[in-house]
Amino acid sequence: MTRRAAGNGVKIGLKIGEKIAARVLLFILLGCSGTIAVGEPSPPPGAATATAAAKVGLQPLGYPAAMIGALLRRDRILKRRLSELGEPLATFAFPRGSDMIGRFADGRLDAGLLGDMPTIILATQAPVAIAGLAKLSATAIVAHQDGWLASIKGKRLAYIPGSSAHYTLLQALASVGLSERDVTLVELAIDDMPAALAQRQIDAFAAWQPAPAIALASDPQARVVFRSLSFDYFVFSRRFVERSPEAADQLLAALVRALEWLRISRRNIETAAHWAMADGAAFSGRSSRLTLEQAVSIARRELIEVPAAPAIPVSSRDQQALHDEFEFLQRLGKLPASTPWERVAGAFEYDGLQRIMAAPARYQSYHFDYRD
């Protein structure tokens, strides 16, 4: 059972509630579209079902996924191809991947960039295809002292429910023989975590980039006290793949194209970072504290220098990493014990990437046309 913080925790809870309400309002009013700039009024994801469209969920506050999303939104080759197919690009911003799960299940999203834990949960609830790798990194727990895990019991830990960082938190607790019931969990937006730690509103946070990088750069006492390997995936709904297989291929080709463009030069990485920061600021209503150098470093380490990306690494294609996570979540009661692993394993049975890589001329994998 999650416990609520007392005393100062009440104040934290009120701030969190206000910020969540603001995020919901922003989400309703400021959805991202492939044909308009982030921040201009556009319909929420549900409204997009009235007409045919390739509806893609993005995370403008997480890196390097935000940079991939920024390129997908500005890929004029992708927009032309999807328009020709009668499936114009429509992108929608989410503060976290777990917010996309229900929208996949009811058809309001066709594709999205999600972390490993949301991907597993989604695959157990709806037929999906894991199409490509969008990140390989270490999600981190950040606190104010080395050896902090030894005294974690009773501490206030900020997290994002159902996220890859939540899985990291669960692993950290299990490593010292504890569970969520032994700590006070504080749900907090990822871009609020570094400041909350510096101000001692929380004792630690579990997050993906850029929150750890921002905390380490701005808070001299901040330390990474636990790391866990984390994946982001480009995921399609099976309904979308069956409805418009060529549109799915074009979206996956855009992912391949984005990575190829980023690998060409540092200047391209910086351009994508600038666009991602602009998208994030429009979505959240405030400028990112991430520096350009930090964004470039994250992109290189977690995406560009991953040899196989966007291909699923061998360890994941064998499904061992996700299988271990799946069983771990079942043991903790985060997934029903009766849920068969085959629902997740079946999500890997999608050969779209092989088609794209085998026909670069057809899919214009090495042609680039990005426009802000």
Side-chain angles (χ1 to χ4, degrees):
M1 179 181 297
T2 300
R3 294 187 290 169
R4 299 293 179 187
N8 290 338
V10 174
K11 185 182 294 184
I12 294 172
L14 290 174
K15 290 181 180 179
I16 294 168
E18 292 167 359
K19 288 174 180 174
I20 290 174
R23 296 293 174 109
V24 171
L25 181 60
L26 276 168
F27 174 73
I28 294 173
L29 296 178
L30 307 182
C32 310
S33 167
T35 57
I36 62 174
V38 177
E40 294 181 8
S42 68
T49 59
T51 57
K55 303 177 288 296
V56 184
L58 306 176
Q59 295 189 60
L61 303 181
Y63 283 71
M67 296 167 71
I68 295 175
L71 292 177
L72 292 180
R73 292 189 63 254
R74 293 165 174 84
D75 188 335
R76 295 176 14 131
I77 296 174
L78 173 64
K79 292 178 184 179
R80 286 194 296 269
R81 291 292 182 89
L82 290 179
S83 293
E84 291 167 359
L85 293 169
E87 295 266 5
L89 179 65
T91 61
F92 302 94
F94 294 84
R96 55 193 183 185
S98 56
D99 292 333
M100 301 185 203
I101 294 173
R103 292 169 174 84
F104 265 96
D106 64 16
R108 287 182 290 165
L109 280 180
D110 299 313
L113 294 167
L114 300 117
D116 40 28
M117 185 165 165
T119 296
I120 289 174
I121 295 172
L122 173 60
T124 65
Q125 297 182 6
V128 296
I130 298 174
L133 181 70
K135 183 194 79 170
L136 172 59
S137 67
T139 304
I141 295 180
V142 181
H144 269 152
Q145 66 185 62
D146 295 324
W148 181 85
L149 279 177
S151 59
I152 194 173
K153 190 171 184 178
K155 302 296 186 180
R156 295 166 297 172
L157 311 182
Y159 80 128
I160 297 173
S163 68
S164 298
H166 188 184
Y167 175 55
T168 297
L169 175 59
L170 294 173
Q171 287 181 300
L173 290 168
S175 73
V176 290
L178 300 177
S179 72
E180 292 172 301
R181 290 185 290 273
D182 298 306
V183 296
T184 298
L185 297 179
V186 180
E187 185 176 348
L188 197 61
I190 191 166
D191 48 343
D192 292 327
M193 291 181 180
L197 179 66
Q199 296 165 12
R200 300 300 198 274
Q201 293 177 334
I202 56 175
D203 297 302
F205 67 79
W208 54 86
Q209 296 291 4
I214 292 172
L216 295 177
S218 60
D219 184 352
Q221 293 183 306
R223 303 284 188 275
V224 172
V225 298
F226 190 87
R227 285 187 176 92
S228 175
L229 191 63
S230 173
F231 300 87
D232 275 8
Y233 297 105
F234 198 27
V235 182
F236 294 149
S237 76
R238 286 286 181 180
R239 181 189 295 114
F240 174 59
V241 171
E242 293 169 0
R243 181 187 84 212
S244 188
E246 182 62 23
D249 282 354
Q250 292 299 333
L251 277 171
L252 189 49
L255 174 65
V256 173
R257 192 157 48 241
L259 266 64
E260 293 297 336
W261 189 74
L262 289 171
R263 287 180 173 128
I264 289 174
S265 69
R266 179 188 172 95
R267 181 179 179 181
N268 288 354
I269 303 172
E270 291 178 349
T271 298
H274 279 300
W275 286 340
M277 290 176 183
D279 290 354
F283 178 66
S284 67
R286 57 186 173 186
S287 298
S288 173
R289 295 176 60 194
L290 185 71
T291 67
L292 182 63
E293 190 61 37
Q294 287 171 334
V296 170
S297 177
I298 291 169
R300 285 192 181 281
R301 182 176 63 251
E302 300 190 2
L303 180 62
I304 299 167
E305 294 175 359
V306 177
I312 308 297
V314 172
S315 61
S316 289
R317 186 165 297 284
D318 291 340
Q319 304 164 11
Q320 189 59 52
L322 281 186
H323 185 264
D324 291 346
E325 185 172 344
F326 175 85
E327 291 189 330
F328 179 77
L329 294 174
Q330 281 192 322
R331 289 197 301 271
L332 295 183
K334 299 297 181 182
L335 289 173
S338 60
T339 303
W341 162 248
E342 286 71 24
R343 290 187 186 177
V344 180
F348 285 91
E349 297 174 2
Y350 176 65
D351 60 357
L353 191 58
Q354 291 93 315
R355 288 195 299 275
I356 305 306
M357 302 303 285
R362 175 185 175 187
Y363 291 105
Q364 295 186 280
S365 304
Y366 300 96
H367 293 78
F368 312 106
D369 186 3
Y370 295 108
R371 188 72 58 84
D372 194 7

